[in-house]
Amino acid sequence: MNLTDTAREKAANLRVVIAGTFLYGLSANMAKAIWQPFILSLGAPMSIVGLLESIGGQQGVVTSLIQPVGGWLSDRLGRKRLLVAGFLVSVLGVGLYVGAEIYKSWYWLLAGVVLTGLSLIVLPVRDSLVAESAPVGRRATAFSGLMAALVAPGIFAPALGGYMADNWGFRPVLLTWLGLEALRLGLTSCMLQETVSRE
């Protein structure tokens, strides 16, 4: 593989990572609008809302504990393998949220938030991939693009999630969330190239 092919492969990886981050930003912001009302609609007390956030939210105990492990594992197992595993766990976690809505039981959410918390093992892996894929003189630009892909959906996705919930209930929002996570998994599985072995 010559230098031109390597540069193209890295640029393609960067596009895949940014597209996946956009999908995550879209699903996360849609879910944020309905998360607390959804939990309460299942008959859970307000204390359970706090418990679920403490277990598996962005700053939850599971998420906090798994972060250092993510970087260590990706250096040994490879970036793609760990990303695919993390996205698969996320799909399973959101699938449990759908199950909670179908069976009207908040107990499903306990396992779901643990899985979605574990899925955030991908965050240090994603950042490593961006650093490896961007040219040295453009790394700040690449990280800016990554952050833009993450936060841009926040402009419209919460309103979209709220509108869907108001008009059709929570299930379409949850199924859309599940579909976006599955799309992110498929995109990464099919299009991302490993970087660790070559480096």
Side-chain angles (χ1 to χ4, degrees):
M1 183 178 289
N2 60 41
L3 290 175
T4 302
D5 290 338
T6 301
R8 286 176 181 161
E9 184 180 290
K10 288 184 174 183
N13 271 358
L14 193 57
R15 288 192 293 270
V16 171
V17 173
I18 289 175
T21 300
F22 178 82
L23 292 172
Y24 173 74
L26 182 58
S27 62
N29 279 289
M30 285 182 66
K32 188 186 299 182
I34 60 107
W35 183 239
Q36 288 190 7
F38 168 58
I39 298 170
L40 296 173
S41 76
L42 300 177
M46 197 65 196
S47 58
I48 293 300
V49 177
L51 175 65
L52 293 172
E53 285 298 311
S54 297
I55 293 172
Q58 286 281 354
Q59 286 82 39
V61 62
V62 174
T63 308
S64 300
L65 291 175
I66 204 67
Q67 293 297 302
V69 180
W72 184 84
L73 280 176
S74 73
D75 286 339
R76 285 152 182 80
L77 301 179
R79 313 291 188 224
K80 180 175 180 175
R81 186 180 301 178
L82 203 59
L83 280 176
V84 168
F87 296 160
L88 178 59
V89 169
S90 182
V91 169
L92 295 174
V94 179
L96 287 173
Y97 301 157
V98 175
E101 204 283 327
I102 292 171
Y103 293 102
K104 304 302 180 187
S105 172
W106 61 264
Y107 293 102
W108 289 61
L109 302 179
L110 292 168
V113 296
V114 170
L115 289 178
T116 52
L118 288 173
S119 75
L120 293 177
I121 195 173
V122 302
L123 295 180
V125 186
R126 179 198 66 190
D127 292 347
S128 298
L129 258 171
V130 171
E132 290 165 351
S133 300
V136 175
R138 292 185 173 180
R139 283 183 181 159
T141 302
F143 276 104
S144 296
L146 184 73
M147 289 300 102
L150 181 63
V151 302
I155 299 169
F156 62 90
L160 178 60
Y163 177 83
M164 291 173 66
D166 276 345
N167 287 277
W168 304 299
F170 295 117
R171 192 174 301 183
V173 183
L174 295 168
L175 290 173
T176 302
W177 186 3
L178 182 62
L180 290 170
E181 289 299 303
L183 181 58
R184 183 170 65 143
L185 172 61
L187 181 70
T188 303
S189 300
C190 297
M191 300 187 67
L192 191 74
Q193 299 298 315
E194 184 56 78
T195 60
V196 168
S197 59
R198 184 177 64 248
E199 296 295 336

